[in-house]
Amino acid sequence: MSALTVQPEKPEFSVRQAARDQVQQWSDNCQKFLDWQQREILGPHPPAQQKIEQHRDDLKWLLRFGRAIYMTASDPDYPDKQISSELRGRLIQLEHSWRMVHQQMPEAEAEQLLKEVFPEASLSGT
């Protein structure tokens, strides 16, 4: 008598699912980056210049990669519109991070803006 081995059937390969998996992995990496940013850059202690440079470099790569994927996913012929929406949401978060950390308003400009909007207030408390 011979033993018959039954192999489990492999699911069919889906390019759509592969794309979704890649977007999910990128999105998970974005969340890890944002969590790190909260701890190391926006935390209670001023970050070292090395951390700011690391943030800048890492964020540039996340933005580049995300924009490249988004360009494909936002094509009108791309079949999964949900991927495009997810990517756009993450890109908005990353672009906000860039502005918040690397394009801060100079203190003198912030002071002037506060004086215009709230004449009785200022950053220096005077």
Side-chain angles (χ1 to χ4, degrees), residues 66-79 81 83-84 87:
R67 287 175 180 149
I69 300 170
Y70 179 71
M71 188 173 68
T72 300
S74 63
D75 184 284
D77 290 336
Y78 195 80
K81 302 303 179 206
I83 287 179
S84 175
L87 285 164

Side-chain angles (χ1 to χ4, degrees), residues 47-101:
Q49 187 59 36
Q50 177 192 12
K51 295 267 187 192
I52 296 291
E53 290 170 12
Q54 178 185 354
H55 183 273
R56 178 185 299 272
D57 290 343
D58 290 351
L59 185 50
K60 279 183 182 180
W61 280 107
L62 285 171
L63 283 164
R64 284 179 185 131
F65 192 70
R67 287 175 180 149
I69 300 170
Y70 179 71
M71 188 173 68
T72 300
S74 63
D75 184 284
D77 290 336
Y78 195 80
D80 191 342
K81 302 303 179 206
Q82 186 177 356
I83 287 179
S84 175
S85 296
E86 289 177 27
L87 285 164
R88 187 67 199 131
R90 277 296 188 197
L91 285 170
I92 289 169
Q93 286 181 308
L94 296 176
E95 289 163 354
H96 176 73
S97 288
W98 183 267
R99 286 188 306 274
M100 184 171 47
V101 175

